[in-house]
Amino acid sequence: MRTRSLGALVATSALLLAACGQGGNETEVTVSGTSPAASGTPSATDAPSSGTPETGTETGEPSAEPDPTGPPAVVTEIATGLEAPWGLDFFANGDAIVTERDTRRVLRVTPSGEVTELGVVDAARPTGGGAEDGLLGVALSPDFEQDSLVYLYLSTVDDNRVVRTTLTDGELGEIEVLLDGIPHGFIHDGGRLAFGPDGFLYVSTGEAGEPPLAQDRASLGGKVLRLTPDGDPAPGNPFDSPVYSYGHRNVQGLAFDDQGRLWASEFGQDAFDELNRIEAGGNYGWPEVEGRGGGGAYVQPQQTWATDDASPSGLAFADGALYMASLKGERLWRVTVRGQRAVRPKAFFIGEYGRMRTVATAPDGTLWLTTSNRDERGEPREGDDRILQVRP
């Protein structure tokens, strides 16, 4: 499924990068309240927004489920000296597989901090210069112990692709292309991979800087895709294609909760970043709507934030809450899941570690959180980039 390449949008990149920069402060912020206004940017110090009532069910009845208690805490720095780590998944023994966006390296990282290179994915072609493409997401097969399969999302000169390879005796094998023709741009390349409880592979894509692609169901850009492990459209997809949901600007976080519901974090443009619960066939509004709006025509976000407070990338679920890593906001958000709702956003580690790219739940229940200060948009500090182990 090939589409034409969108190329590197260098001429307009300076304007489009504004929503993906850096920021943050060193105070904890608690966010709750009412829906955002129809226009304008919410206050960075008050309520970036709650797009939904603080209740636990679709009918608005209070939930008996408790909020997570206590703030998350950094247990240790697992690894330092990495370069723009992007994708992260776990082996059964608790080791992690990690991709570096610009170096194209695939690493194995142990909980004790041992870092081993598994290979370099030469098929990936990062643009550099602050671009968002390169070697992005990674997911291990649900049957990895039997089939040794590793799934990757990468950018070529012409497109973005979902590929797979094997990991045998500590080395990556040949690359097999499962799905190509995903629109590629200097920005908005999506890239997150996650296997769902149904055994299918979910893929987030961006609209590559061409907003109309998000509403075009014939395009793979600006979508959440759902594939079989061999790269075919999954049975039951709503449009007889890989497309599972559409109307997205740039989704970089996917996470399933303990009820099997899919959540996604999404970059806004100037006003509102979003946390969405993904529904099969749902239209999430971009570019017609940023944040809430459009009445019943679009699925409304569960939460929205001012772009200075978030610019969200990775997403994970642990202990009844979603944890969202933020780049420009330089913080980790915790959002409680109550029934069908995501409520009571609260921010932690504001400005302490810089840009945060990926958060993932380890087999032992802790979170692994990666920084992204060496991605040509951050301000690297001694030890960057690093993987932090966080107690949720």
Side-chain angles (χ1 to χ4, degrees), residues 140-174:
L140 296 177
S141 165
D143 299 317
F144 179 82
E145 298 302 318
Q146 289 74 46
D147 59 28
S148 302
L149 291 175
V150 177
Y151 292 76
L152 299 163
Y153 186 108
L154 58 83
S155 308
T156 72
V157 173
D158 297 321
D159 61 5
N160 290 309
R161 299 180 175 187
V162 178
V163 305
R164 72 181 175 189
T165 183
T166 56
L167 179 60
T168 307
D169 296 328
E171 294 185 358
L172 297 180
E174 295 295 318

Side-chain angles (χ1 to χ4, degrees), residues 17 95 105 113 132 145 177 191 209 211 255 273 282 295 302 328 349 389:
L17 290 176
D95 292 357
R105 294 197 305 164
E132 297 174 1
E145 298 302 318
V177 178
D273 295 322
Q302 292 275 322
K328 188 175 183 181
F349 312 136
Q389 185 182 34

